Amino acid sequence: MTTQAPTIFSLQAPKDISLNEIEAELNQIWQSYGITGEDGALPAATRATTFTLVVYEPEETQYLLASLGFYNGPIDGILGPQTETALRQVQIKYALPETGTATPETIAKLREEFTKRQGNGATGEIANGNTSYNTSVVSPRIADEIALRNPCRIIALCPIVGEDAGVKAQVSAYCPIQKQSSSTLICCEYITLSGTPAALERVGGMIPALLIGGLPKFLWWKATPDPNNSLFKRLAAVCNNVIVDSCNFNEPETDLLSLQSLVETGVPLADLNWRRLAAWQELTAEAYDSPNRRAALGEIDRVTIDYEKGNPAQAILFLGWLASRLEWLPVAYKKESGDYDITRIHFLNQDQRQIEAELAGVPVADVGDIMGDLIALRLSSTNPQANCGTVICSETGGCMRMETHGGAQAAGLFQQVSSLSEQKAEALLSQQVQRWGRESLFEESLAVIGQVLKLEVNG
C-alpha cells in the first residue's frame, strides 16, 4: 500500500543569492515567517535543530548515459575520456553533431529517451539503482522522508557541465504538513550550490562554515566515492558520518575496495545497501540459534548466493559479513561471465577446512527497484551428517534454483520479507541519520571483502 505524500508548505521558494548572504537570508526567512491559521493563530514552526545533511548530487549526464546503457564508468561528475566516448556514441546513434561534449541537444535527447523508458514523465528512477532523477535540483523530494521527522539543514552540491561561471547559490525552506499535527510545522532549510566541479572545489573551504555548529553532520555522497577527490576528502573530514549507496556503483568490486581504503584512513562510512541486508543477516543468525545448530556452524563448507544480475555489491557484502563472523580466510577468487555472472571464492576456516562460495548473478525478467537485490542463499555441508543446511529466499519465490540445485539438505526455508518502501534510499537515509560514527560490523565485513577483492587484483 502506497503512503500518500504529505502536503509540502513552502516558507521560501528557491531564491538566488550571493554566497556571503546565505546565513542572513535564512535568518530573514524565519524573521518574516507568518502563516495565519483558521483561528488567526500562527502554527508553530521548528527550524533546523537536529543535524546538517550535505548531499553531493552527481551531474545528470553520466546518470543518463549509464541508465541508457552507453556508459559503465564511475559516476563522479568528471566528464573524462569514457564519458566523451559515450557522448559520441549517443550523438552518432541519434544523428546529432558529433562533439563528444554534453551539448544541450544531446542532453535533451538523453532526457527524452530516459523519460520514454520510465514512462512516468519528467522524473523517475535511474535504471541502475534507487537514486531519483529530477530535472530540478531544488526539488524538496530529496529529503521528504527526513523532513517528516527531523527539522534539519540540507546543503545540496550540484555539479554541472559547461562553462565555469562560478557557483550559483539558492536558499529555500519547506515544511511537510502532517494531518495529525497540522498545528506544528517541522521545516528543513535548503542551501543549493551549483557550478562546475572545479567551481565547487574552489568554494569547498566555505562549506564547513555552513554546517550548524554543535549538531551532527552527515555527508550523503551519491556519486561513486573517490578517495582522491579533494572535495570529498574535505567534507568527509568534518562530518560524523559519510553515507554512500553501493547499489549505484558501476564498478562494484573496484568501488568496494575504495570504501575499504577509506575505512583504513579513518572515514566513518555507512552504506545504505548494507542496511538492505539486515533481514537476511537476522534470518541467517536465527537459523543457528539452537544449540545443536550452533555447534554445526563449523560444518558449513558450501555457500551459494543468488542475486539479480547487474550489481554484485549486496552478495559481496553479505558474504563478507558471513566470513567475518565465522573467521574465514579468503585464499582464491575467480570470475566467470555468461548468462549467469559466476564468482567463486575459496576460504579456509580456523581448522584449515576449505569453504567454497559461489555468487551467481541471475538474469531476471522483472528487475526490482534495487539492482543486485539478493534472491536466495544456501548454506550447506559436504558432510551428510551435518545439521547445518539452510535456505533463505526472497518473498518473490527465489528458491526454485536453490531447491533444484542441491537444496534438499536444507533444514528450513525462511522467507525474507521487507516492504519496497524500506528499500528506498530516502527511507534508509532517514534511519541512518538517527545514528552516526563508525559501524564496527560493517567495517569488519569490509576488511574481509578487501582481502577477497585484492586476490583478484593480485591474481
Side-chain angles (χ1 to χ4, degrees):
M1 181 177 176
T2 303
T3 304
Q4 187 173 358
T7 301
I8 302 291
F9 179 84
S10 173
L11 282 186
Q12 172 65 62
K15 179 180 180 181
D16 292 342
I17 58 169
S18 65
L19 290 172
N20 59 5
E21 295 175 338
I22 291 175
E23 288 290 358
E25 185 61 35
L26 287 172
N27 289 331
Q28 181 60 33
I29 290 172
W30 290 91
Q31 290 172 8
S32 60
Y33 157 71
I35 310 170
T36 303
E38 292 180 1
D39 59 355
L42 295 177
T46 303
R47 189 180 180 183
T49 56
T50 51
F51 57 83
T52 304
L53 173 66
V54 182
V55 185
Y56 184 87
E57 290 275 5
E59 195 277 325
E60 67 174 331
T61 302
Q62 289 176 331
Y63 264 138
L64 292 170
L65 289 169
S67 69
L68 296 171
F70 292 100
Y71 177 76
N72 62 359
I75 306 294
D76 54 12
I78 301 172
L79 304 188
Q82 281 183 279
T83 310
E84 180 182 340
T85 299
L87 287 167
R88 289 187 185 279
Q89 291 175 352
V90 171
Q91 290 160 347
I92 292 171
K93 179 173 181 178
Y94 296 109
L96 299 171
E98 188 182 343
T99 64
T101 60
T103 63
E105 296 84 0
T106 305
I107 296 299
K109 188 63 181 178
L110 287 170
R111 288 174 177 168
E112 177 187 337
E113 292 302 313
F114 177 83
T115 301
K116 285 180 183 177
R117 290 201 182 187
Q118 299 304 309
N120 62 352
T123 63
E125 303 297 329
I126 290 297
N128 74 332
N130 68 318
T131 304
S132 297
Y133 160 69
N134 192 315
T135 55
S136 171
V137 298
V138 295
S139 166
R141 290 181 55 205
I142 185 176
D144 285 353
E145 288 280 350
I146 299 172
L148 289 177
R149 305 170 184 85
N150 307 283
C152 63
R153 173 174 292 184
I154 297 171
I155 303 172
L157 307 179
C158 305
I160 59 176
V161 298
E163 183 180 351
D164 188 341
V167 174
K168 175 183 176 183
Q170 290 184 326
V171 296
S172 55
Y174 295 96
C175 315
I177 300 176
Q178 298 295 317
K179 290 183 178 179
Q180 65 269 29
S181 58
S182 57
S183 61
T184 302
L185 299 176
I186 299 178
C187 305
C188 272
E189 301 174 343
Y190 288 72
I191 301 169
T192 303
L193 304 178
S194 56
T196 64
L200 289 174
E201 170 54 29
R202 287 200 304 273
V203 302
M206 66 161 286
I207 295 173
L210 298 175
L211 309 179
I212 302 175
L215 295 178
K217 304 164 183 65
F218 299 92
L219 170 61
W220 185 16
W221 192 265
K222 295 172 74 173
T224 303
D226 179 4
N228 298 315
N229 182 296
S230 56
L231 183 58
F232 176 88
K233 288 194 292 185
R234 186 191 295 269
L235 294 174
V238 296
C239 287
N240 301 94
N241 214 195
V242 177
I243 303 166
V244 298
D245 193 343
S246 59
C247 85
N248 293 322
F249 290 174
N250 276 335
E251 299 177 347
E253 290 91 344
T254 301
D255 297 333
L256 286 172
L257 267 178
S258 293
L259 292 191
Q260 168 58 14
S261 68
L262 287 169
V263 167
E264 290 177 346
T265 62
V267 174
L269 272 178
D271 182 0
L272 299 182
N273 218 19
W274 168 263
R275 297 187 69 88
R276 296 186 180 98
L277 296 174
W280 294 86
Q281 293 166 335
E282 289 168 7
L283 288 174
T284 302
E286 286 175 12
Y288 298 97
D289 270 348
S290 62
N292 63 322
R293 294 273 289 174
R294 181 172 292 273
L297 270 173
E299 296 289 340
I300 296 174
D301 59 16
R302 294 292 182 272
V303 180
T304 304
I305 302 174
D306 285 359
Y307 63 93
E308 291 185 2
K309 184 176 180 179
N311 186 331
Q314 278 192 23
I316 294 172
L317 287 169
F318 182 89
L319 182 62
W321 168 76
L322 184 67
S324 70
R325 297 303 87 202
L326 298 180
E327 299 183 324
W328 294 346
L329 175 69
V331 293
Y333 181 104
K334 183 180 179 182
K335 291 180 66 176
E336 302 171 11
S337 296
D339 291 338
Y340 289 77
D341 286 343
I342 303 295
T343 302
R344 291 188 170 87
I345 304 167
H346 288 191
F347 297 87
L348 291 177
N349 69 8
Q350 290 180 302
D351 298 326
Q352 298 301 298
R353 181 174 180 171
Q354 288 199 3
I355 295 100
E356 295 182 7
E358 177 186 283
L359 311 183
V362 180
V364 293
D366 186 16
V367 179
D369 277 13
I370 310 301
M371 180 171 284
D373 265 344
L374 293 193
I375 298 173
L377 65 91
R378 183 181 66 253
L379 308 179
S380 59
S381 175
T382 52
N383 176 5
Q385 305 304 315
N387 180 25
C388 63
T390 300
V391 174
I392 303 176
C393 305
S394 67
E395 61 180 334
T396 54
C399 274
M400 185 177 297
R401 198 176 88 92
M402 291 297 179
E403 291 173 341
T404 59
H405 190 55
Q409 190 191 42
L413 180 65
F414 301 86
Q415 293 284 59
Q416 185 266 343
V417 180
S418 58
S419 68
L420 189 61
S421 63
E422 292 174 349
Q423 302 292 307
K424 297 282 189 181
E426 286 75 12
L428 294 171
L429 185 68
S430 181
Q431 300 168 24
Q432 185 63 47
V433 294
Q434 305 303 321
R435 53 192 294 180
W436 56 87
R438 306 186 68 152
E439 299 187 21
S440 58
L441 193 58
F442 174 59
E443 292 185 358
E444 290 168 10
S445 302
L446 264 185
V448 175
I449 290 168
Q451 293 173 354
V452 169
L453 298 178
K454 285 171 186 175
L455 289 172
E456 180 193 21
V457 173
N458 301 323

